[in-house]
Amino acid sequence: MRKMLVLAAAISLTSSLLAADPAQVPYPEGYRQWTHVKSMTINQGHALYDAFGGIHHLYANKRAEQGYKSGKFADGSVIAFDLLEAKAADNTVQEGARKVLGVMHKDSRKYKDTGGWGFEGFKGDSKIDRAVGKSAATACFQCHAAQKNSDYVFSIFRR
Amino acid sequence: MRKMLVLAAAISLTSSLLAADPAQVPYPEGYRQWTHVKSMTINQGHALYDAFGGIHHLYANKRAEQGYKSGKFADGSVIAFDLLEAKAADNTVQEGARKVLGVMHKDSRKYKDTGGWGFEGFKGDSKIDRAVGKSAATACFQCHAAQKNSDYVFSIFRR
């Protein structure tokens, strides 16, 4: 009986450690069907190469798409930054493996310290392996803060 | 009165000359909201550089998206090939002006001579200035014919 109690306590502790932090940015399910905003390739020699080298595509959910038009992103806006390896061969550059899936998720209350945006990165093709976690303020917002006039978003919708 | 009749006849003739050919591939309205299939950059030195040099993005309407999954594209499937200039600067490659918007439009009866696909290219940002017209068989299908096993489509949906 004591063994079972210990086991139960252990399971309970593990569960609470694994329970999602309510401030965690959710994985952007279905983003590959969202609207494609624009793309860019960052090559070796660029200051951001270590973090963002490769081909990136930006995708916006419906609410974020409106935000790109109006310049102000409503709560619920989500932008996905899909970073793939850039494979150069035979005078082409092609998409390789996914390096990280970056996410900006607007919730002006939850993320009030970082411009109303939650930031996260999902490593490779994982939906749970997080690259940013609690370091969004230094790892992401430090750069995005400069874009205050466009609601902290760098990209512009390509027509 | 005679002048009016002549004018009416002239207007009628002009209208019939301007009337859209029923086999013409329609401009793919709203394609920027369609699902992004994949992208690629073709650089100088590639055999297709003259025709397709730059960054291209492929977009699929809902029916075409199903086609990418099943390997068989139903009538009404439309694939847009959005070709932009590739602007290299400061160790990045960025999207420039639109060169041409290519379209594949599935209608197995209308386009039975070219694998059931109508092909067209809209020059630059124009919705009416056509680059292919009646030369789809030689200008487009000649290459696409090799892709018979994938219903004449080259691209594969990137996950």
Side-chain angles (χ1 to χ4, degrees):
Chain A
M1 182 62 186
R2 189 180 293 177
K3 264 188 188 165
M4 281 185 69
L5 280 174
V6 172
L7 187 65
I11 288 168
S12 162
L13 181 67
T14 311
S15 305
S16 69
L17 284 173
L18 289 175
D21 175 350
Q24 267 193 344
V25 174
Y27 180 86
E29 290 291 349
Y31 79 92
R32 282 292 286 109
Q33 272 70 36
W34 294 356
T35 294
H36 176 214
V37 175
K38 59 163 286 186
S39 299
M40 183 175 163
T41 303
I42 292 180
N43 290 323
Q44 216 145 9
H46 190 280
L48 294 174
Y49 180 77
D50 285 345
F52 301 125
I55 300 167
H56 67 251
H57 302 300
L58 287 149
Y59 300 98
N61 71 356
K62 283 290 163 210
R63 211 166 280 192
E65 203 186 330
Q66 289 304 313
Y68 277 104
K69 283 172 191 161
S70 69
K72 181 74 191 159
F73 293 80
D75 279 2
S77 297
V78 184
I79 300 170
F81 174 98
D82 206 3
L83 180 62
L84 313 168
E85 282 173 10
K87 287 163 54 188
D90 304 328
N91 299 307
T92 68
V93 181
Q94 306 208 27
E95 300 168 332
R98 179 164 291 109
K99 296 177 78 177
V100 70
L101 175 64
V103 182
M104 284 177 71
H105 190 121
K106 191 75 178 272
D107 186 319
S108 43
R109 273 193 284 184
K110 235 180 225 177
Y111 308 117
K112 64 176 170 8
D113 296 339
T114 47
W117 289 100
F119 295 84
E120 189 52 272
F122 294 89
K123 296 181 190 174
D125 292 323
S126 176
K127 297 185 176 186
I128 52 169
D129 195 2
R130 290 165 180 268
V132 173
K134 291 183 189 298
S135 57
T138 49
C140 307
F141 191 63
Q142 203 165 294
C143 279
H144 281 266
Q147 296 302 110
K148 192 175 179 182
N149 287 343
S150 51
D151 206 357
Y152 307 107
V153 171
F154 278 95
S155 48
I156 293 169
F157 191 88
R158 171 179 52 80
R159 295 195 171 274
Chain B
M1 183 63 184
R2 189 179 295 178
K3 264 190 188 163
M4 281 184 70
L5 282 174
V6 170
L7 187 65
I11 288 169
S12 163
L13 181 66
T14 311
S15 304
S16 71
L17 283 173
L18 289 174
D21 175 349
Q24 267 194 344
V25 174
Y27 180 86
E29 291 291 349
Y31 79 92
R32 283 291 286 107
Q33 271 71 38
W34 294 356
T35 295
H36 176 214
V37 175
K38 60 163 286 188
S39 300
M40 183 175 162
T41 303
I42 293 180
N43 290 323
Q44 216 145 8
H46 190 279
L48 294 173
Y49 181 76
D50 285 345
F52 300 126
I55 300 167
H56 67 250
H57 303 299
L58 287 149
Y59 300 98
N61 70 357
K62 283 289 164 211
R63 212 166 279 193
E65 203 187 328
Q66 289 304 313
Y68 278 104
K69 284 172 189 159
S70 70
K72 181 73 191 157
F73 293 80
D75 279 2
S77 296
V78 184
I79 300 170
F81 174 96
D82 206 2
L83 180 62
L84 313 169
E85 282 173 9
K87 288 163 54 187
D90 304 329
N91 299 307
T92 68
V93 181
Q94 306 207 29
E95 299 168 331
R98 179 165 290 110
K99 296 176 77 178
V100 69
L101 176 64
V103 181
M104 285 178 71
H105 190 121
K106 192 75 180 272
D107 186 320
S108 44
R109 274 193 283 184
K110 235 180 227 180
Y111 309 117
K112 64 176 168 12
D113 296 339
T114 47
W117 289 100
F119 295 84
E120 188 53 273
F122 294 88
K123 296 180 189 172
D125 292 323
S126 175
K127 296 184 177 187
I128 53 170
D129 195 3
R130 289 163 180 269
V132 173
K134 292 184 189 299
S135 57
T138 49
C140 307
F141 192 62
Q142 203 164 293
C143 278
H144 282 266
Q147 296 302 112
K148 192 175 178 183
N149 287 342
S150 51
D151 205 356
Y152 307 106
V153 171
F154 278 94
S155 48
I156 293 170
F157 191 89
R158 171 180 52 80
R159 294 195 172 272

